[in-house]
Amino acid sequence: MLNVEYPLSGTGPEISFGLEVILVYISFQMFGVFIYRYLTSTFKEQNLRNLAWSMIFLGYGITYIFYIIADYFINPAVRDYFSQYGYISLTSGITLYALLSEYIEKSKWYPVTIFCGTFLVLSIISLILGHRDMTLNLAFLAVPFAAVYILRYFYKYAKITNFNKRVLGKIAGLFLSMLIILAGYFFVSDAMTARFGPDIRVLSASLNIIGVICFMFAILNLPDYREFVWKQHLRALFIVRTSGILLFNRFWKRENKENSNEYLIGGALSSIQTVLSNITEETSINRMELEDKALLFKMYPDKDVVGCIIADEYIDSLNERLNVFLDRFDVMFGGSLKDWDGNTQVFLPLESICDEVFMEKPQTD
């Protein structure tokens, strides 16, 4: 172990100081980006999600302000207090993020918030008692819990789009950036500084900057939070011939007008698709947004079939699910549609496929 003296000085610490200032600037800039999105978003859940993400960046920026003060400027006698202020700032940001996230997700018990809140309270107690080691031990205990939460979050996002490979790549980018940030945060610790010397802070700050920037882009490219609540917006699914004959339908939200005119709706949908097929590529997803609903449809011209979803609003996940459902339909019936005799009973197996793809039973009332 090296005998490291604080405040840090020398060429390495001068470079790391500059990099950590840049890290603070980036963190506050991202806080501003998400606050702006929070103030301008018209969708309530997404609005709060932006506020939640902003708390992460705000907490991280304030944390490094305290670290900079503690390690580069003040008397070593009071350094531990400022370091603990940094821990508390980070924990506060994470706790606020957890609270908002679980509120959005309508969590019953708020387990993550309770855990983070407990950690925050204990950190404050350790500050009052002057036991910095207590805070470090709490941080060590939080690692496996954080790992479970991250894996759960990864799975939840992946499940939204039926484990779509394109979306999985974006999710993988998010958690890779988290690992980079954790690595950078690990190297800023006193233990690493004592082992490798103050110059290790250059590596720490560099990893943090790279991780935060990657984290920012990963978040901005993740599916909209509306993807979490797509079931609430799903109204109906139709499979129709372009001639207007209804082959299969499923209602999630029954409305008298729609329920009593299923065949009429099927004909209308096929007419819309016939018009759009003249200006779009084959098998492409199309959409039409009306005042109170959105229509998503996909056509297989060679099969003379149109698939359509009616939803309260357009949501990307419904595109993915419509694709999956129609691919399954094509596998089962694509080769026999030309010889179809008009008996819709042959399409009853689509009920179980619909349950599987959309993961929800229809309303029966």
Side-chain angles (χ1 to χ4, degrees):
M1 294 291 181
L2 301 175
N3 183 23
V4 179
E5 294 185 359
Y6 292 92
L8 298 175
S9 60
T11 303
E14 287 178 359
I15 296 173
S16 63
F17 168 74
L19 291 173
E20 288 174 16
V21 170
I22 292 173
L23 176 61
V24 171
Y25 171 77
I26 294 173
S27 297
F28 282 125
Q29 187 178 50
M30 287 314 304
F31 166 72
V33 168
F34 282 101
I35 283 294
Y36 175 78
R37 287 168 58 127
Y38 164 70
L39 295 173
T40 57
S41 175
T42 58
F43 182 63
K44 180 180 178 181
E45 284 82 359
Q46 183 63 20
N47 195 327
L48 290 176
R49 178 64 66 180
N50 285 320
L51 181 60
W53 284 122
S54 73
M55 294 298 101
I56 292 286
F57 287 102
L58 177 63
Y60 207 66
I62 295 176
T63 295
Y64 262 85
I65 287 178
F66 282 119
Y67 287 174
I68 289 171
I69 294 173
D71 294 341
Y72 297 99
F73 293 103
I74 64 171
N75 190 307
V78 294
R79 175 177 173 270
D80 282 353
Y81 287 100
F82 277 84
S83 295
Q84 286 186 278
Y85 292 148
Y87 299 144
I88 291 172
S89 299
L90 182 60
T91 307
S92 298
I94 294 173
T95 302
L96 288 172
Y97 167 81
L99 176 63
L100 289 167
S101 294
E102 292 188 309
Y103 172 78
I104 294 168
E105 296 167 15
K106 298 179 174 59
S107 174
K108 185 176 182 180
W109 301 108
Y110 288 75
V112 180
T113 304
I114 291 173
F115 179 87
C116 293
T118 302
F119 183 91
L120 176 60
V121 170
L122 292 176
S123 296
I124 294 173
I125 292 174
S126 70
L127 173 65
I128 295 172
L129 298 178
H131 295 304
R132 187 187 181 197
D133 289 343
M134 178 179 174
T135 303
L136 295 176
N137 291 332
L138 288 170
F140 177 78
L141 292 174
V143 170
F145 181 86
V148 171
Y149 179 77
I150 289 172
L151 289 174
R152 172 182 170 273
Y153 210 72
F154 181 95
Y155 177 77
K156 191 169 186 178
Y157 257 119
K159 190 176 180 180
I160 287 172
T161 54
N162 282 356
F163 299 92
N164 178 270
K165 291 182 179 180
R166 177 176 56 84
V167 179
L168 284 177
K170 295 179 181 180
I171 299 172
L174 173 66
F175 292 103
L176 177 61
S177 66
M178 286 183 176
L179 292 177
I180 295 173
I181 292 173
L182 287 174
Y185 195 76
F186 175 74
F187 284 118
V188 81
S189 66
D190 287 356
M192 291 296 101
T193 303
R195 184 174 182 83
F196 298 104
D199 291 354
I200 194 66
R201 296 285 288 263
V202 176
L203 174 62
S204 170
S206 299
L207 288 173
N208 267 294
I209 291 173
I210 294 171
V212 168
I213 292 174
C214 292
F215 190 71
M216 170 191 70
F217 283 109
I219 291 174
L220 294 176
N221 283 286
L222 280 177
D224 192 293
Y225 184 73
R226 283 175 290 183
E227 309 300 332
F228 279 120
V229 293
W230 61 267
K231 292 181 184 178
Q232 299 175 19
H233 298 281
L234 181 60
R235 293 190 184 186
L237 167 70
F238 297 96
I239 305 296
V240 299
R241 304 297 294 268
T242 53
S243 60
I245 299 175
L246 182 64
L247 305 181
F248 175 82
N249 70 281
R250 165 71 66 87
F251 285 95
W252 282 267
K253 291 185 178 180
R254 289 194 176 276
E255 301 177 22
N256 291 333
K257 183 178 179 180
E258 289 181 350
N259 193 34
S260 61
N261 296 286
E262 295 174 12
Y263 284 86
L264 180 61
I265 291 177
L269 294 176
S270 64
S271 299
I272 294 172
Q273 181 58 39
T274 299
V275 173
L276 292 180
S277 65
N278 294 324
I279 58 174
T280 59
E281 296 179 357
E282 292 186 359
T283 70
S284 62
I285 287 285
N286 303 287
R287 79 191 201 200
M288 178 176 291
E289 298 191 49
L290 306 177
E291 183 177 351
D292 63 339
K293 68 186 69 175
L295 280 66
L296 290 70
F297 33 91
K298 179 176 180 178
M299 181 178 184
Y300 285 91
D302 58 328
K303 301 293 193 308
D304 196 33
V305 170
V306 178
C308 176
I309 285 177
I310 299 178
D312 293 334
E313 59 180 312
Y314 173 77
I315 299 176
D316 285 337
S317 284
L318 295 178
N319 274 351
E320 303 290 346
R321 295 179 188 280
L322 182 57
N323 264 324
V324 171
F325 184 82
L326 288 176
D327 287 343
R328 299 283 294 275
F329 173 87
D330 189 41
V331 170
M332 293 186 68
F333 302 106
S336 59
L337 281 176
K338 291 182 179 180
D339 302 322
W340 181 56
D341 61 3
N343 180 15
T344 58
Q345 296 297 309
V346 299
F347 300 111
L348 286 179
L350 291 174
E351 292 287 352
S352 60
I353 294 176
C354 192
D355 290 339
E356 179 183 343
V357 173
F358 294 94
M359 297 184 293
E360 181 169 310
K361 299 292 184 182
Q363 295 181 3
T364 56
D365 56 348

